[in-house]
Amino acid sequence: GKQAGRGYVVPFEPDMLGDERHRRFVERELRAAILMDELELHYQPVVDSRTGLVRSHEALVRWRHRVRGMIAPSQFIPVAEQSSLIDRLGEWVLRRACADQAQLGTPVAVNVSPVQLRRPGFVKDFTLILEETATPASGIIVEVTENAPLLAGSMEMENLSHLRMLGVRVAIDDFGAGHASLHYLRDFSFDIIKIDRTYVADFAANPVNAMIVAAVCDIARTLSLEVVAEGIETEEQRCLLTAAGCTSLQGYHLGRPMPLGPAKAIRAA
Ligand code: C2E
Ligand code: MG
Ligand code: MG
Ligand code: MG
């Protein structure tokens, strides 16, 4: 990295994640950031495609670094996943999201790494945080990305079904972007499908893509699952994905991820 200020500025670029020295640097900084409360959650609304009402908010973690400014999750989640730091980060995210849930006034969706789900104590710690913050299980949705293969009978699947028994809803994130989509539909029980935003981006231009989305929506309707279209950026996409059968929509066109406003202070005044 180039010299600056108090010694260094090392760019947090994904192509450097393979570099062991850089990885250790990010890991050390992130560990401190969790302790020093340099992380924050931004919330993005998920709206009902028919009524426009906000059904839930997705919590998206941000790192406000004292030198680097705002750092996106894609630049540090993969580093955290290579160590037990992902567990600390995940606990911080869940605790913060639970604390904010009542003020948001909707259920909150948190992203959970498959690495977290591999830990046998995951559900116990999850439950403790719900209790500590007096958050009902129905107020939380867990999003798991479909990119990492979750196998039937694995610890990951066991933890997910345990969460569902408690009343936490489970969403399959980035559906269609990984390799396991159909096997997920067949073997696992979950509540929500989030169609990857690449399908939304290609929707108008590619008729086969549009047919795939419509077919997924048909299956979801049969199984009584909610289907969220991610990455809605235009009014045209809002109309097309609603017509295709998506029950909910998320994207910059409907609302950007934002820090939680000072609603509490305003209500108190
Ligand atoms: P994701 O869960 O699929 O989250 C949606 C991503 O799409 C977010 O990026 C969001 O800002 C972005 N997005 C929303 N609407 C639009 C749109 O209309 N157009 C475009 N181009 N993008 C849109 P973000 O916040 O950078 O997060 C990236 C990924 O990082 C997330 O993808 C999720 O996999 C992961 N992530 C975020 N927060 C956490 C967390 O707390 N824990 C874990 N384990 N992963 C997280
Ligand atoms: Mg997500
Ligand atoms: Mg997604
Ligand atoms: Mg994603």
Side-chain angles (χ1 to χ4, degrees):
K2 76 175 189 285
Q3 296 300 310
R6 294 197 298 123
Y8 52 77
V9 173
V10 178
F12 286 69
E13 274 150 21
D15 60 334
M16 293 183 69
L17 293 175
D19 177 339
E20 177 61 18
R21 259 182 59 230
H22 179 70
R23 191 188 64 73
R24 280 212 302 270
F25 169 78
V26 175
E27 195 182 311
R28 201 163 53 236
E29 291 268 302
L30 183 56
R31 194 177 299 278
I34 295 170
L35 293 173
M36 297 184 325
D37 237 22
E38 280 184 358
L39 299 182
E40 31 186 278
L41 292 184
H42 286 193
Y43 293 100
Q44 184 176 34
V46 176
V47 309
D48 186 291
S49 60
R50 299 279 162 198
T51 64
L53 293 174
V54 178
R55 288 190 158 196
S56 61
H57 286 86
E58 178 173 7
L60 296 159
V61 71
R62 302 287 180 263
W63 179 4
R64 195 184 289 278
H65 190 276
R66 65 206 175 283
V67 178
R68 303 282 318 159
M70 205 65 102
I71 305 173
S74 59
Q75 307 198 349
F76 59 91
I77 297 283
V79 174
E81 283 178 334
Q82 289 177 37
S83 74
S84 61
L85 209 48
I86 192 66
D87 298 323
R88 300 287 82 73
L89 180 102
E91 281 165 20
W92 185 92
V93 166
L94 181 63
R95 192 170 280 117
R96 182 76 256 160
C98 284
D100 291 342
Q101 193 264 325
Q103 188 178 337
L104 284 162
T106 67
V108 181
V110 294
N111 292 284
V112 169
S113 162
V115 177
Q116 290 173 263
L117 290 170
R118 248 168 253 156
R119 204 168 51 82
F122 175 78
V123 174
K124 191 180 108 247
D125 293 344
F126 195 102
T127 312
L128 281 175
I129 292 172
L130 293 185
E131 283 170 9
E132 244 174 61
T133 55
T135 308
S138 61
I140 300 295
I141 298 164
V142 162
E143 296 194 2
V144 244
T145 183
E146 186 234 35
N147 286 311
L150 301 182
L151 302 174
S154 62
M155 178 58 68
E156 291 96 314
M157 289 317 307
E158 205 173 292
N159 278 334
L160 284 177
S161 60
H162 195 162
L163 283 181
R164 288 189 79 236
M165 288 189 299
L166 297 172
V168 173
R169 277 177 292 162
V170 173
I172 301 299
D173 207 348
D174 309 321
F175 188 84
H179 308 283
S181 310
L182 293 176
H183 135 87
Y184 270 63
L185 286 178
R186 189 190 60 193
D187 296 338
F188 301 139
S189 53
F190 50 91
D191 307 278
I192 300 161
I193 297 176
K194 298 189 77 172
I195 295 182
D196 191 69
R197 70 165 182 266
T198 55
Y199 288 84
V200 172
D202 278 0
F203 198 89
N206 181 341
V208 175
N209 181 105
M211 284 187 262
I212 292 170
V213 172
V216 169
C217 290
D218 279 346
I219 294 168
R221 199 177 307 114
T222 309
L223 300 174
S224 303
L225 303 174
E226 184 183 334
V227 186
V228 183
E230 298 189 283
I232 301 285
E233 294 183 352
T234 67
E235 179 60 16
E236 186 192 27
Q237 287 170 346
R238 188 186 70 76
C239 295
L240 290 174
L241 276 296
T242 300
C246 294
T247 54
S248 307
L249 308 169
Q250 181 178 4
Y252 297 159
H253 182 60
L254 300 144
R256 290 191 170 254
M258 299 277 275
L260 191 58
K264 224 171 215 158
I266 290 166
R267 261 204 302 274

